[in-house]
Structures are given as structure tokens and as C-alpha cells.
Amino acid sequence: QVQLVESGGGLVQAGGSLRLSCVASGTIFRLSVMDWYRQAPGKQRELVATITSGGVTDYADSVKGRFTISRDNVKNTVYLQMNSLKPEDTAIYYCHQRRFPREYWGQGTQVTVSS
């Protein structure tokens, strides 16, 4: 069973930065695709960023140029560097691991951006 533990959320002013981390247990991390999702109050959960096992990345249009996803396969950790934060980035951010046929979710970490 894989467990994902996120950290790094908090309260930041608009224009500021945060770095989220997600540590995964288990032995399949390096073979897995890792995603960051977010869910704002009253909205559906949305995909923010993805990194494949080979390091290929993809981003939602709303965060391109501001957010960077990366991974460290030695530390079993995926990161989300968030710069130039906006109030609309306020949400709970979730780490997601997938390797067919299984997927796993973290418990989420709150990010609040004040204007």
C-alpha cells in the first residue's frame, strides 16, 4: 500500500511563492506518473501539473510559466514550486500517484493566497 504525505502549504500574499512536497512510501515511485491536483471551495478538482517517470512535464494553462513540477526518485518525492501566486490559486492541493492499474491520493495541503 502506497501512502502519500504532502507538506509545504500555507498562507502567502499575492505574488509570493511556496514549494509543496509529497513523499511517497513504497517501491514503485520511480515507475509512476505523479500529478498535483487542486480543489477550490465549490469547484471540481482540477489537474495542475504532471510529471512522468521519465521526467516529462505538463501543466494546466492557468499555471504555465508560474509553477514547476519536479521529482527526486532517490527521495521518493515530488515537488511543486509555485511562483507569482494569485488569489485564484487558493485551494487544497493534492498529490496523486498512478501506475496502471493503481492510483493513490494524498490527504491534501491547504494553500491560501491573500490579495
Side-chain angles (χ1 to χ4, degrees):
Q1 182 72 12
V2 170
Q3 290 189 322
L4 304 175
V5 180
E6 301 104 330
S7 62
L11 174 64
V12 64
Q13 288 189 333
S17 298
L18 285 173
R19 188 175 83 154
L20 306 183
S21 300
C22 171
V23 180
S25 64
T27 59
I28 65 169
F29 177 83
R30 65 180 180 86
L31 302 175
S32 301
V33 177
M34 300 299 299
D35 310 293
W36 283 99
Y37 282 77
R38 67 185 181 187
Q39 188 166 20
K43 294 188 176 181
Q44 289 189 328
R45 191 171 296 190
E46 64 171 344
L47 179 61
V48 174
T50 296
I51 185 165
T52 69
S53 58
V56 177
T57 60
D58 195 19
Y59 299 91
D61 287 344
S62 59
V63 306
K64 278 182 181 176
R66 301 188 298 122
F67 290 11
T68 302
I69 188 170
S70 61
R71 65 190 297 158
D72 184 332
N73 289 338
V74 174
K75 296 181 178 180
N76 273 21
T77 302
V78 61
Y79 304 97
L80 186 68
Q81 178 66 44
M82 306 185 294
N83 298 329
S84 302
L85 283 161
K86 304 175 181 180
E88 52 263 44
D89 295 318
T90 295
I92 300 174
Y93 283 71
Y94 297 92
C95 179
H96 179 244
Q97 180 174 338
R98 52 188 165 102
R99 174 167 170 77
F100 184 81
R102 304 188 190 283
E103 62 175 338
Y104 306 93
W105 291 92
Q107 82 288 351
T109 185
Q110 176 72 47
V111 172
T112 303
V113 184
S114 64
S115 57

